[in-house]
Amino acid sequence: MCLGIPGLITAVWEDPSGGRFAKVAFGDQVKTASLAYLPDLAAGDYTILHAGFALTRIDEESARMTLATMREYGVFDQQDTAS
């Protein structure tokens, strides 16, 4: 089973060899994600990643509520998703 954690898109770019990519921040961790399935995502959007692909867009309120619930249930340490 995989755990989907909301992340904030901080940058988006077109790769010269093709494809659209983004930097997604999960607290102090940053991952690179393909936007092949959701090419209209932009910096400031929240998304859920799986296997390096952005799979869904979520609104900021839902992202914050999800992160707060995950912290409450001890899914990760407070510093893992400081935002």
Side-chain angles (χ1 to χ4, degrees):
M1 175 169 48
C2 296
L3 180 63
I5 300 174
L8 176 64
I9 296 176
T10 59
V12 174
W13 71 93
E14 302 286 334
D15 189 76
S17 63
R20 189 165 164 83
F21 294 88
K23 290 290 183 190
V24 183
F26 300 91
D28 62 352
Q29 295 184 18
V30 177
K31 305 283 184 185
T32 299
S34 170
L35 300 182
Y37 302 135
L38 298 167
D40 61 327
L41 288 177
D45 287 336
Y46 283 85
T47 189
I48 303 287
L49 298 186
H50 176 68
F53 288 87
L55 295 182
T56 189
R57 172 186 292 144
I58 61 171
D59 61 81
E60 183 175 0
E61 181 181 348
S62 295
R64 292 190 185 280
M65 288 176 55
T66 299
L67 291 169
T69 300
M70 293 173 117
R71 283 187 198 104
E72 180 181 337
Y73 285 96
V75 173
F76 41 68
D77 293 333
Q78 194 84 2
Q79 69 269 15
D80 290 341
T81 58
S83 54

